[in-house]
Amino acid sequence: MRLRSGVFASSCLLVQALGVTLFLRGFFPVPVRSLPRREARADSPAEPAPPGPGMVSNWTKIPAPLFNKVVIVLIDALRDDFVFGSKGKQFMPYTTQVVEKGTSYSFIAEAKPPTVTMPRIKALMTGSIPGFIDVVVNLNSPALLDDNLIWQAKAAGKRIIFYGDDTWVKLFPKHFMEYDGTTSFFVSDFTEVDDNVTRHLDRVLKREDWDILILHYLGLDHIGHISGPNSPLVGPKLREMDNILKKIHISLLSKEEASLPNLLVVCGDHGMSETGSHGGSSEGEVHTPLLFISSAFEKRSGPLTQPERVQQTDLASTLAVGLGLPISRNSVGNLILPVVGGKTMREQLRFVHLNGFQLSRLLQENTPAYEKDPGYEHFKIAEKSHGNWIKLYLEGNNSEILLNLGKKVLKQYLEALKTLSSSLSKQVAQYDMYSMMVGTVIIMEVLLLLLLSVPKALSKRAEFEVPLSPPLFSLLFYLMCLMLCAVHVIVCTSAESLCYFCSMSWLTAVGVMMLISALMCGILSAIAKIFENSRLPLKNPGVSSSSWSEIDVLILAGTIGHVLSLGASSFIEEEHQTWYFLINTLCLVLCQELCRNNFLLKECDPQHSTNVKQNFDSLGETSDCKNIDIPAASSSKLDKATSSSEFMKGSHKWISLATPWVILICCRLLRSLNQTGVQWAHRPDFGHWLTSSEHKPELSFLAAVSLLMIFFLVQRRCSLVSKIAMALGLLGVYSYRAAVGNVIFPWQHGGKDISKGITEARFVYVFVLGIVFTGTKDLLKSQVISADSSMKSTGLWEVYSGLVLLAALLFRPHNLPVLVFCLLIQTMMTKYIWRPLKFDAAQITIMHYWFGQAFFYFQGNSNGIATVDVSAGFVGLESYVEIPAIFLTAFATYAGPFLWAIHLLCYLSSEVSSMFCLKTFFSEPIESENQERLFKGIE
């Protein structure tokens, strides 16, 4: 059966979507879940029954609240060293005093990745561990339907007030008696976003009509996104937070009742990395302070020790007990025992029993073989010992035996809680390997089938023969179906955990197995046909099959090696090393190729070279082709007609030979600019040195030189108007960075007030749009008004120049050398490598792709979301506007690959324009084989 290439590609796309869906369903594990929220409020379990007849515990209800009013102050991106380190002692003196000598308990709470705001709020309020899929919905948080602390408090009649990040309002709609949300994504604002929270504080603290007050401050997080944790803005912001905590604490102490004390909780949702971002799993991102401050606690004495580490999910269980609420049914957290350590032994045992009962029930609902789980076994042992303790307690035994037994039971409970929590947490990170493998097999089969069909799809008829019922493979098809169905039965009957693919109906599963078998038979049939055609005699025996060069071998081996490396998580985390190795190897192979062309090849006929040179000179003087960059690089066009050894003479030859080594030096310098990946991301680099406050003059000088270099490298093919716009735009870029405090002008001596740089950034946007509009106009004119290929080439370069200006605006000052080296390498590769060595379009495309991927990591990016520079999305914006913010953030992140892709279009368009002029002005064809090679690659 023959299919058109469009129909065949569409069918492959649908099958590919099926494979991707299966893979993602296995890759993103189903979170641990219990009953729906409306069914979650049930009678609490009673104390364990004492052994013996006629003895029953009289404590069956949920314990009474331990605190009257609770204030939760969540400071976004508050790292643990901001409170417990040197910065805490310097900028948060009151908080430090309370931690060291006051009535408080301090902990380091460990957050699980992804360390972004919305999943962390879920973890704090539900006690569950959100998955990475929550990163996608972080931009538009839906209402939280799981059982959580806020819902339990509202159902119990608690009056809740909230001020701060509007993510809470989206997660908990209609739960707050009073609220005022602020936009969390406008990272350029780190003053008003906190003032909007603090302005309500004096009024609310005087009132008595609330039980829970939640404050979420965003300013520190925004400072981190803009200038990192070492910014001079961090100190004043921490001092501001310290004054707010002092005001709240003094107010709570002054209004404390005799019956119940008040509680102040200080925490962070996540930390920040050394670059100021978050989302990953580095130590600075996952470790946050957790403070419990109340007069109910004993005053600290003695030297301060290292705070104990707890899980962030433990807060939900602890606050539920403190407020006299049921623990959320989906919580995997443990009770933080020191918070209730001042209560009687019976109360403490009651608290940990409620926590253990909730965790064991959650385990029963999510694990088929829960009875064999060590945590469940430990809990049952502790529960039995608890019953014995209650028997002694009800008998009125007050001896030392009762106290020692209580401590033993408490220790058993804590061990059971730890094991149960660990077992439930592992289920969140347990992948559905079977579904992932089935999806991967479908994806790889479709990709291989597409690769085999490329020659047919690119032919003139653009058809592909699909072997639906080949007699040779009919038996193989049925055998594969039977074998895959047998594997499916074995896997699904022996699996200990739930599997999505096994939960499908048998009819659907058999259909997927038949699809896999059919794809495999189609691949084998296509391979057999290729071998069959290779045995046929050539129609033109004078033309031999071209042998593979070292470049072709490297491109194929590098591509296959990179694909295979993605099968290991460590290679994904450190993928930048793969690309650095590939481009370094590519430069060495290019050096070898240049040496061969300059020293080993024989020179062509000199008479023919002279005639072509004269024709080429006349071509350069022709008005129709003078915008194709031929006059500037006439020698690079001449090599299309002459051999490389004739062309490369004198200084040009030596510059060409030095080009790969210059590129290697540039790449080595870029690697030192930004550390990326996971293993070595914490190590200091040149970028950290430049961004420190004491090296601002050096950063300013580097930024100014980089902007000048960008202008000289880009303006060579721009029109006069675009050159002026580019110069003014780059001046505006420096002015913007000076306005926001990243760099300084030479005449600046004292401190300068820092602004948001709105006017300066919009000044640059005007020139970006002007340059892009000019290039778009030329592109449309070349397509509609006249078929002038030189105008199309010029238009593409104008668009490229505008995007370079936009990248210069969005890049941080220390990253401007990345843009300079990008333009420099593109210029040198074009003039001294690609044109002289006569690479075809396919080879040049792969090289552009490799360098684009390498420059993605040269920018400091990685495969973790923590390296995404969110601040780039708010350059020139006064408020959060979703579409421009997303576009600017995405462009700043993928500027390297995008600029190399646009340069590829510019280069191929320039080559096509040059060939058009050659065909027009040369009376006879020159090196038709090279022309056909180029045009074949472009098609």
Side-chain angles (χ1 to χ4, degrees):
M1 178 181 178
R2 290 186 175 274
L3 292 177
R4 297 287 299 173
S5 59
V7 178
F8 175 72
S10 301
S11 303
C12 289
L13 187 62
L14 292 175
V15 179
Q16 190 85 321
L18 172 64
V20 171
T21 302
L22 272 175
F23 178 84
L24 292 179
R25 184 59 179 78
F27 183 75
F28 293 111
V30 178
V32 177
R33 289 287 182 268
S34 185
L35 294 175
R37 191 174 63 186
R38 61 178 178 272
E39 305 174 19
R41 285 192 65 85
D43 294 335
S44 62
E47 281 184 313
M55 299 193 69
V56 179
S57 172
N58 57 358
W59 196 354
T60 58
K61 295 183 179 180
I62 295 176
L66 306 180
F67 305 102
N68 180 32
K69 293 182 183 296
V70 175
V71 179
I72 303 173
V73 180
L74 194 156
I75 303 175
D76 211 297
L78 183 66
R79 297 191 346 177
D80 61 325
D81 58 337
F82 286 174
V83 175
F84 304 129
S86 59
K87 288 184 179 178
K89 294 180 179 179
Q90 180 180 0
F91 300 112
M92 303 186 75
Y94 183 80
T95 305
T96 303
Q97 181 183 3
V98 172
V99 167
E100 294 179 352
K101 301 179 182 179
T103 54
S104 65
Y105 287 108
S106 55
F107 305 92
I108 295 178
E110 182 178 352
K112 300 294 184 184
T115 48
V116 291
T117 297
M118 192 272 287
R120 294 301 97 219
I121 296 176
K122 280 187 177 182
L124 289 168
M125 292 297 105
T126 66
S128 60
I129 302 177
F132 277 90
I133 194 66
D134 288 297
V135 177
V136 180
V137 296
N138 185 55
L139 297 174
N140 187 18
S141 310
L144 182 60
L145 301 179
D146 297 337
D147 186 21
N148 59 82
L149 182 70
I150 301 296
W151 182 81
Q152 292 281 8
K154 185 176 183 296
K158 302 286 184 181
R159 298 159 296 179
I160 311 172
I161 296 178
F162 170 77
Y163 302 118
D165 186 354
D166 59 0
T167 305
W168 289 76
V169 181
K170 298 175 184 177
L171 286 173
F172 310 106
K174 302 180 181 179
H175 285 66
F176 303 118
M177 178 184 73
E178 181 182 319
Y179 65 88
D180 184 13
T182 57
T183 302
S184 59
F185 291 104
F186 185 52
V187 299
S188 296
D189 175 23
F190 46 82
T191 303
E192 295 179 7
V193 72
D194 287 345
D195 291 343
N196 289 334
V197 178
T198 308
R199 64 190 175 98
H200 300 284
L201 203 54
D202 292 331
R203 176 176 52 85
V204 171
L205 291 176
K206 294 177 182 178
R207 292 161 47 183
E208 297 291 339
D209 60 342
W210 56 270
D211 301 299
I212 301 174
L213 174 63
I214 303 174
L215 307 173
H216 189 153
Y217 285 94
L218 290 163
L220 184 63
D221 176 70
H222 291 183
I223 291 173
H225 282 298
I226 292 175
S227 51
N230 299 317
S231 169
L233 301 172
V234 170
K237 178 57 67 175
L238 291 177
R239 188 176 290 110
E240 177 188 346
M241 295 294 103
D242 187 59
N243 292 331
I244 291 170
L245 294 176
K246 179 179 180 181
K247 178 187 294 186
I248 296 173
H249 187 213
I250 293 175
S251 177
L252 290 178
L253 290 176
S254 64
K255 294 188 175 184
E256 217 162 62
E257 299 178 358
S259 57
L260 288 177
N262 298 323
L263 175 66
L264 171 61
V265 180
V266 183
C267 61
D269 55 345
H270 53 75
M272 66 173 71
S273 66
E274 290 301 319
T275 60
S277 298
H278 54 86
S281 58
S282 67
E283 187 173 340
E285 295 170 82
V286 300
H287 289 163
T288 62
L290 178 59
L291 308 180
F292 294 91
I293 305 172
S294 174
S295 60
F297 307 143
E298 295 182 359
K299 195 170 184 179
R300 298 184 64 89
S301 60
L304 181 66
T305 58
Q306 179 69 19
E308 181 185 350
R309 290 194 180 184
V310 297
Q311 295 299 314
Q312 196 179 57
T313 51
D314 297 343
L315 180 64
S317 303
T318 306
L319 286 180
V321 170
L323 291 167
L325 302 172
I327 299 175
S328 303
R329 297 199 61 165
N330 296 325
S331 172
V332 298
N334 296 337
L335 174 67
I336 301 177
L337 192 63
V339 178
V340 297
K343 298 300 176 181
T344 64
M345 180 59 69
R346 188 182 185 188
E347 288 177 312
Q348 293 184 48
L349 292 177
R350 175 63 171 158
F351 296 149
V352 292
H353 174 255
L354 288 173
N355 194 186
F357 182 83
Q358 172 263 326
L359 290 174
S360 63
R361 182 175 56 183
L362 186 61
L363 184 71
Q364 293 178 37
E365 296 173 354
N366 289 273
T367 305
Y370 67 91
E371 294 180 347
K372 299 179 181 179
D373 186 86
Y376 186 82
E377 294 176 351
H378 292 163
F379 174 71
K380 286 301 179 182
I381 294 173
E383 199 174 35
K384 185 176 180 180
S385 301
H386 190 186
N388 294 329
W389 185 91
I390 293 174
K391 179 181 178 180
L392 293 176
Y393 178 83
L394 295 177
E395 290 175 350
N397 190 333
N398 294 322
S399 64
E400 191 74 19
I401 298 175
L402 183 67
L403 179 61
N404 293 333
L405 180 60
K407 291 181 179 179
K408 178 182 177 181
V409 175
L410 191 62
K411 185 177 181 181
Q412 289 177 339
Y413 268 131
L414 293 177
E415 184 180 353
L417 292 179
K418 185 177 180 180
T419 310
L420 283 169
S421 179
S422 177
S423 299
L424 291 167
S425 300
K426 287 178 181 178
Q427 291 192 23
V428 179
Q430 187 174 2
Y431 299 108
D432 184 357
M433 296 301 298
Y434 184 44
S435 300
M436 291 174 63
M437 289 179 63
V438 173
T440 303
V441 168
I442 295 176
I443 294 171
M444 296 305 294
E445 285 184 334
V446 173
L447 288 177
L448 186 56
L449 196 60
L450 284 171
L451 288 175
L452 295 173
S453 65
V454 165
K456 291 287 184 181
L458 295 179
S459 62
K460 293 182 179 180
R461 300 183 63 180
E463 290 182 345
F464 183 72
E465 186 175 351
V466 181
L468 290 180
S469 56
L472 181 61
F473 295 103
S474 58
L475 179 60
L476 178 61
F477 172 76
Y478 292 113
L479 288 176
M480 288 189 64
C481 285
L482 290 174
M483 183 183 67
L484 291 175
C485 289
V487 171
H488 181 71
V489 172
I490 294 173
V491 172
C492 294
T493 53
S494 61
E496 296 182 359
S497 58
L498 297 176
C499 174
Y500 174 73
F501 191 60
C502 292
S503 64
M504 291 182 174
S505 64
W506 278 100
L507 185 62
T508 305
V510 171
V512 174
M513 299 303 174
M514 293 178 64
L515 175 63
I516 294 175
S517 303
L519 289 172
M520 181 56 68
C521 291
I523 292 170
L524 295 176
S525 177
I527 294 175
K529 185 160 290 188
I530 291 175
F531 278 106
E532 181 181 349
N533 294 336
S534 65
R535 294 193 185 98
L536 296 176
L538 294 173
K539 295 181 179 179
N540 187 3
V543 180
S544 60
S545 58
S546 60
S547 60
W548 282 33
S549 65
E550 289 86 348
I551 294 292
D552 296 324
V553 174
L554 174 63
I555 287 175
L556 179 62
T559 303
I560 295 176
H562 172 253
V563 171
L564 294 177
S565 70
L566 298 180
S569 59
S570 57
F571 276 96
I572 295 176
E573 293 172 351
E574 309 295 332
E575 188 183 358
H576 61 285
Q577 301 285 5
T578 303
W579 291 114
Y580 295 166
F581 172 78
L582 289 178
I583 61 172
N584 290 342
T585 309
L586 176 63
C587 289
L588 294 177
V589 174
L590 290 174
C591 183
Q592 179 195 16
E593 194 74 15
L594 286 167
C595 291
R596 179 187 294 117
N597 277 267
N598 279 279
F599 300 112
L600 300 181
L601 295 183
K602 295 181 179 180
E603 296 185 357
C604 65
D605 181 27
Q607 181 64 35
H608 181 66
S609 302
T610 304
N611 295 335
V612 172
K613 176 69 176 177
Q614 293 173 355
N615 289 335
F616 204 91
D617 292 338
S618 64
L619 173 63
E621 297 171 358
T622 308
S623 60
D624 292 339
C625 298
K626 56 186 168 184
N627 290 327
I628 310 175
D629 203 21
I630 292 176
S634 60
S635 56
S636 64
K637 295 302 177 187
L638 180 59
D639 80 89
K640 297 292 182 180
T642 61
S643 68
S644 300
S645 56
E646 174 68 20
F647 165 66
M648 291 186 180
K649 289 184 177 180
S651 61
H652 189 99
K653 177 177 69 174
W654 297 111
I655 294 175
S656 178
L657 289 172
T659 295
W661 300 102
V662 173
I663 296 173
L664 283 172
I665 294 173
C666 293
C667 293
R668 186 62 190 89
L669 293 174
L670 290 174
R671 289 182 63 177
S672 303
L673 185 63
N674 292 305
Q675 290 284 358
T676 184
V678 175
Q679 298 294 331
W680 298 279
H682 64 282
R683 292 188 177 181
D685 50 40
F686 190 52
H688 285 97
W689 185 85
L690 286 171
T691 53
S692 59
S693 56
E694 58 268 21
H695 298 128
K696 187 175 289 187
E698 291 85 349
L699 178 62
S700 303
F701 176 76
L702 180 64
V705 173
S706 298
L707 292 175
L708 286 174
M709 290 290 295
I710 290 171
F711 175 75
F712 286 116
L713 290 170
V714 171
Q715 57 84 31
R716 56 193 174 90
R717 292 178 59 185
C718 294
S719 62
L720 179 61
V721 175
S722 295
K723 289 180 181 179
I724 297 174
M726 176 65 68
L728 294 176
L730 293 173
L731 180 62
V733 170
Y734 193 90
S735 301
Y736 166 74
R737 289 300 171 183
V740 298
N742 296 136
V743 298
I744 56 175
F745 284 106
W747 53 84
Q748 270 184 248
H749 299 289
K752 181 180 179 295
D753 293 336
I754 297 175
S755 69
K756 297 178 183 178
I758 303 295
T759 304
E760 293 85 352
R762 291 180 176 178
F763 177 79
V764 179
Y765 283 139
V766 170
F767 292 111
V768 171
L769 293 176
I771 296 173
V772 172
F773 175 77
T774 302
T776 307
K777 181 188 67 176
D778 291 339
L779 285 175
L780 293 176
K781 189 182 296 185
S782 67
Q783 296 292 328
V784 179
I785 300 178
S786 63
D788 188 358
S789 55
S790 63
M791 185 176 294
K792 179 181 179 181
S793 177
T794 304
L796 277 173
W797 187 263
E798 297 274 0
V799 173
Y800 175 74
S801 304
L803 295 177
V804 169
L805 178 58
L806 179 60
L809 175 65
L810 300 181
F811 276 21
R812 297 200 181 194
H814 75 278
N815 260 350
L816 287 175
V818 178
L819 194 56
V820 173
F821 284 132
C822 175
L823 298 172
L824 180 64
I825 292 174
Q826 288 173 353
T827 303
M828 297 185 71
M829 294 281 283
T830 300
K831 188 171 183 179
Y832 299 110
I833 294 181
W834 290 328
R835 284 173 177 164
L837 294 182
K838 309 173 192 175
F839 289 122
D840 58 31
Q843 294 171 324
I844 292 173
T845 300
I846 297 297
M847 293 184 202
H848 274 81
Y849 175 72
W850 283 15
F851 274 98
Q853 293 298 310
F855 271 86
F856 172 80
Y857 295 103
F858 285 147
Q859 291 176 233
N861 294 320
S862 69
N863 288 329
I865 59 176
T867 53
V868 176
D869 185 9
V870 183
S871 63
F874 304 93
V875 174
L877 300 181
E878 288 183 330
S879 61
Y880 175 65
V881 186
E882 187 172 3
I883 295 178
I886 293 175
F887 168 76
L888 292 175
T889 304
F891 180 81
T893 304
Y894 296 99
F898 192 70
L899 290 178
W900 277 90
I902 299 298
H903 183 269
L904 174 65
L905 295 178
C906 295
Y907 177 82
L908 294 180
S909 176
S910 175
E911 293 298 292
V912 171
S913 303
S914 304
M915 284 298 182
F916 175 79
C917 292
L918 285 171
K919 289 181 177 180
T920 304
F921 293 99
F922 287 178
S923 57
E924 59 182 34
I926 300 174
E927 298 229 7
S928 58
E929 181 182 347
N930 290 332
Q931 296 179 26
E932 292 175 2
R933 188 182 180 194
L934 176 66
F935 283 115
K936 182 180 179 181
I938 294 175
E939 290 173 0

